[in-house]
């Protein structure tokens, strides 16, 4: 199994983190993002969208971090992504939140602030200030996002929430979110990334 990876990417990190939580060995293939290796003809054969991460497992090539989490959970992960319709729906709605509100809010704010990409950081921060209070309210009543134990919903949403301060989005007024982040950091085999430490 190979993961085409960028160390500073929260989307790549969520896959690395989940692989570690599952105690699965995987070859990491660094992709030189600044040299636009992800847009090279060779990489575009793996993922025509030119995005990372990409997981290669035997003859399967899978793009999109949320899809990769689902695949790994169903192949190796037990209850990380449940089978019954109700709980699957509860998890999946958070995967959608990770790919939409969190990606366009705290994640975009970080990309624009930390890496100087052409993103309207003010709009991204406004979007972050809409989704984070909703997550805070939810986590005041629940230890985990979807169910009463950690699922891939938590893994999908965690990185860019934890990295929000790098985009100028403070987490100081969100105690329940901070407690949730601490719970994730205490999971067995948790690993760090630049900007997220134990």
């Amino acid at each position: 199994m190979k993961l085409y990876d960028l160390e500073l990417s929260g989307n790549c990190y969520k896959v690395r983190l989940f692989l570690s939580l599952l105690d699965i060995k995987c070859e990491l293939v660094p992709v030189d993002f600044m040299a636009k290796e992800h847009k090279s003809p060779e990489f575009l054969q793996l993922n025509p969208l030119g995005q990372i991460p990409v997981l290669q497992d035997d003859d399967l090539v899978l793009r999109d971090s949320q899809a990769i989490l689902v695949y790994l959970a169903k192949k190796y992960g037990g209850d990380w992504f449940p089978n019954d319709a109700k709980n699957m729906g509860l998890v999946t709605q958070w995967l959608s939140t990770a790919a939409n509100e969190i990606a366009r809010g705290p994640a975009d704010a970080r990309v624009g602030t930390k890496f100087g990409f052409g993103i309207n950081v003010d709009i991204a921060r406004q979007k972050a200030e809409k989704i984070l209070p909703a997550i805070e309210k939810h986590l005041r009543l629940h230890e985990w996002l979807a169910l009463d134990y950690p699922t891939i919903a938590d893994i999908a949403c965690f990185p860019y929430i934890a990295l929000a301060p790098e985009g100028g989005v403070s987490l100081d007024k969100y105690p329940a979110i901070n407690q949730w982040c601490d719970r994730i950091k205490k999971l067995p085999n948790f690993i760090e990334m630049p900007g997220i430490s134990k």
Side-chain angles (χ1 to χ4, degrees), residues 3-198:
L3 178 67
Y4 292 82
D5 180 55
L6 176 67
E7 184 183 34
L8 292 176
S9 163
N11 284 324
C12 292
Y13 168 65
K14 67 180 71 170
V15 177
R16 292 196 312 270
L17 172 59
F18 193 45
L19 286 164
S20 181
L21 295 174
L22 295 175
D23 198 22
I24 295 173
K25 302 301 179 203
C26 181
E27 177 187 351
L28 298 181
V29 181
V31 176
D32 190 338
F33 190 82
M34 298 313 289
K36 299 194 182 302
E37 186 180 353
H38 59 299
K39 302 297 184 184
S40 69
E42 296 80 13
F43 189 86
L44 291 174
Q45 287 184 354
L46 287 172
N47 181 3
L49 299 182
Q51 299 168 345
I52 46 178
V54 172
L55 185 77
Q56 190 169 16
D57 190 13
D58 294 326
D59 60 347
L60 174 69
V61 177
L62 197 58
R63 61 174 173 82
D64 184 85
S65 57
Q66 274 66 247
I68 294 169
L69 292 179
V70 169
Y71 170 73
L72 292 172
K74 295 316 295 177
K75 186 168 182 180
Y76 303 105
D79 290 334
W80 284 95
F81 189 49
N83 287 318
D84 64 286
K86 175 186 173 183
N87 288 337
M88 187 180 290
L90 290 170
V91 171
T92 302
Q93 69 181 353
W94 286 104
L95 299 183
S96 180
T97 302
N100 291 288
E101 290 86 355
I102 292 172
R104 299 291 68 84
D108 276 358
R110 174 179 180 259
V111 168
T113 302
K114 188 175 176 74
F115 303 106
F117 289 178
I119 290 173
N120 188 319
V121 173
D122 289 335
I123 289 177
R125 288 176 182 161
Q126 289 170 18
K127 290 180 178 180
E129 294 296 347
K130 283 186 174 182
I131 188 59
L132 291 175
I135 295 172
E136 173 72 13
K137 183 178 179 181
H138 178 79
L139 287 171
R140 285 180 191 155
L141 303 174
H142 307 277
E143 285 200 352
W144 305 101
L145 288 177
L147 303 177
D148 59 359
Y149 59 88
T151 66
I152 58 171
D154 301 285
I155 306 309
C157 294
F158 168 71
Y160 286 119
I161 291 176
L163 291 166
E166 291 191 348
V169 178
S170 174
L171 296 178
D172 290 347
K173 58 186 177 183
Y174 302 117
I177 286 177
N178 284 298
Q179 291 163 9
W180 168 74
C181 287
D182 289 342
R183 285 192 289 275
I184 292 174
K185 292 175 182 181
K186 290 175 182 171
L187 292 173
N189 296 327
F190 176 86
I191 57 171
E192 301 177 343
M193 73 163 280
I196 299 178
S197 60
K198 290 184 181 180

